[in-house]
């Protein structure tokens, strides 16, 4: 009897919680392999070049727009004029560049994540299949198109949500909570798809995403918190892809092993 048609066990396809630590340990080993060290360069360079281009194209008009928006806010304008009148400083002069940076940095960051999802993940999956999962056969179809579409809609929703909730950053708790929540969303919704779409067929993907949903979000939360540390930006696109890939491929392998064992048992029972 198929695992997909029967009620799943409480432990899930691979004891998924335990396989999170296994995925991180294996990813540390994989990250220091030459091919994966070279892969670190791609998303970082694209993110860096993207930030330069975005700053060159958007910095001045974005600051002017922000100054106009802030100037139209009566309460803010009154406070700003009061500070200037006291001979202190103009709040707009300092706040506009910070807000502009708060918009351009995530633009560059999500660009790097999209590149990692669409271009780096296939390199990661090819490397891991050769080194660690030669028995996990590819059964996915239209993987590239599915990956690109997923990256586009997730990236778009991330940027829109980031911009819409940006004004809430003036309240201290939201300045920490909102960036983490949006990065959890982007990382999880992109990388859980790309880590499975090449190898798993549709029923397998749906089953694993359903059974391991909490574990995927926990991995995304870990990387969203690490994303708050600037030096981590250098390795996160590739390392996060490695962790999601190890986690997904190991659980897919165990799912297929359970499916094969269930089919074998059913065949023996039928023969008897």
């Amino acid at each position: 009897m198929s695992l997909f048609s029967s009620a799943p066990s409480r432990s899930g396809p691979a004891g998924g919680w335990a396989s999170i630590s296994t995925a991180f340990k294996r990813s540390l080993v994989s990250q220091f392999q030459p091919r994966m060290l070279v892969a670190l360069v791609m998303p970082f360079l694209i993110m860096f070049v993207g930030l330069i281009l975005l700053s060159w194209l958007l910095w001045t008009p974005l600051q002017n727009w922000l100054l106009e928006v802030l100037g139209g806010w009566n309460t803010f304008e009154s406070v700003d004029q009061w500070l200037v009148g006291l001979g202190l400083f103009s709040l707009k002069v300092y706040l506009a560049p910070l807000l502009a940076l708060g918009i351009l940095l995530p633009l560059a960051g999500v660009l790097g994540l999209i590149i990692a999802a669409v271009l780096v993940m296939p390199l990661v999956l090819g490397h891991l299949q050769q080194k660690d999962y030669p028995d996990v056969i590819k059964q996915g179809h239209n993987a590239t198109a599915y990956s690109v579409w997923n990256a586009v809609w997730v990236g778009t929703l991330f940027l829109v949500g980031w911009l819409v909730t940006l004004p809430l950053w003036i309240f201290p708790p939201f300045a920490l909570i909102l960036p983490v929540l949006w990065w959890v969303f982007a990382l999880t919704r992109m990388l859980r798809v790309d880590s499975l779409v090449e190898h798993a067929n549709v029923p397998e993907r749906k089953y694993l995403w359903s059974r391991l949903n909490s574990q995927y979000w926990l991995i995304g939360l870990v990387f969203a918190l690490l994303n708050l540390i600037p030096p981590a930006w250098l390795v996160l696109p590739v390392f996060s892809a490695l962790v999601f890939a190890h986690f997904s491929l190991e659980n897919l392998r165990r799912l297929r092993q359970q499916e094969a064992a269930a089919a074998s048992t059913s065949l023996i029972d039928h023969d008897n």
Side-chain angles (χ1 to χ4, degrees):
M1 183 168 56
S2 171
L3 289 175
F4 305 125
S5 59
S6 61
S9 64
R10 288 187 178 183
S11 62
W17 291 106
S19 61
I20 292 178
S21 61
T22 301
F24 273 90
K25 292 174 185 176
R26 291 178 180 176
S27 297
L28 283 172
V29 175
S30 300
Q31 183 63 86
F32 287 100
Q33 293 168 348
R35 192 174 178 184
M36 292 298 97
L37 287 173
V38 173
L40 285 174
V41 179
M42 184 188 299
F44 172 70
L45 284 179
I46 291 175
M47 183 173 62
F48 181 70
V49 172
L51 181 59
I52 292 175
L53 289 175
L54 288 170
S55 299
W56 179 57
L57 293 172
L58 300 178
W59 184 260
T60 300
L62 186 57
Q63 277 206 93
N64 291 338
W65 176 73
L66 288 169
L67 287 171
E68 183 180 347
V69 171
L70 293 173
W73 188 6
N74 293 332
T75 303
F76 182 87
E77 185 68 19
S78 299
V79 173
D80 185 65
Q81 291 178 1
W82 177 69
L83 290 172
V84 172
L86 291 176
L88 297 176
F89 58 87
S90 172
L91 193 57
K92 287 189 293 188
V93 172
Y94 290 95
L95 188 57
L98 287 175
L99 290 174
L101 197 61
I103 293 172
L104 293 178
L105 275 178
L107 277 173
V110 79
L111 178 63
L113 181 59
I114 289 173
I115 294 301
V118 176
L119 298 180
V120 175
M121 185 63 88
L123 296 177
V124 167
L125 290 172
H127 177 74
L128 294 187
Q129 183 166 39
Q130 181 182 5
K131 292 283 186 178
D132 301 281
Y133 306 96
D135 55 323
V136 181
I137 307 302
K138 292 183 179 181
Q139 295 184 11
H141 300 286
N142 302 317
T144 302
Y146 193 100
S147 174
V148 170
W149 165 246
N150 182 68
V152 168
W153 84 260
V154 172
T156 301
L157 187 56
F158 169 88
L159 291 174
V160 171
W162 186 283
L163 295 176
V164 169
T165 58
L166 194 60
L168 295 175
W169 286 33
I170 61 175
F171 303 105
F174 292 111
L176 177 64
I177 294 171
L178 288 174
V180 171
L181 290 179
W182 282 116
W183 278 112
V184 170
F185 166 77
L187 285 161
T188 305
R189 293 309 296 261
M190 279 194 199
L191 296 183
R192 75 170 188 174
V193 168
D194 292 282
S195 61
L196 269 180
V197 70
E198 284 192 12
H199 289 78
N201 57 42
V202 174
E204 289 172 335
R205 291 202 301 264
K206 290 181 177 180
Y207 182 81
L208 288 172
W209 289 338
S210 173
R211 293 297 300 165
L212 302 173
N213 184 56
S214 298
Q215 290 92 323
Y216 277 119
W217 285 100
L218 177 60
I219 296 173
L221 175 61
V222 170
F223 284 114
L225 293 173
L226 290 175
N227 197 51
L228 298 175
I229 308 171
W233 298 349
L234 300 176
V235 298
L236 277 183
V238 175
F239 187 67
S240 59
L242 280 168
V243 173
F244 272 91
H246 270 296
F247 181 76
S248 292
L249 292 179
E250 177 61 27
N251 279 283
L252 177 60
R253 175 161 62 188
R254 295 190 184 186
L255 175 64
R256 288 178 178 174
Q257 289 172 348
Q258 290 180 15
E259 179 77 1
S264 177
T265 301
S266 177
L267 181 60
I268 292 174
D269 292 342
H270 178 76
D271 289 343
N272 291 335

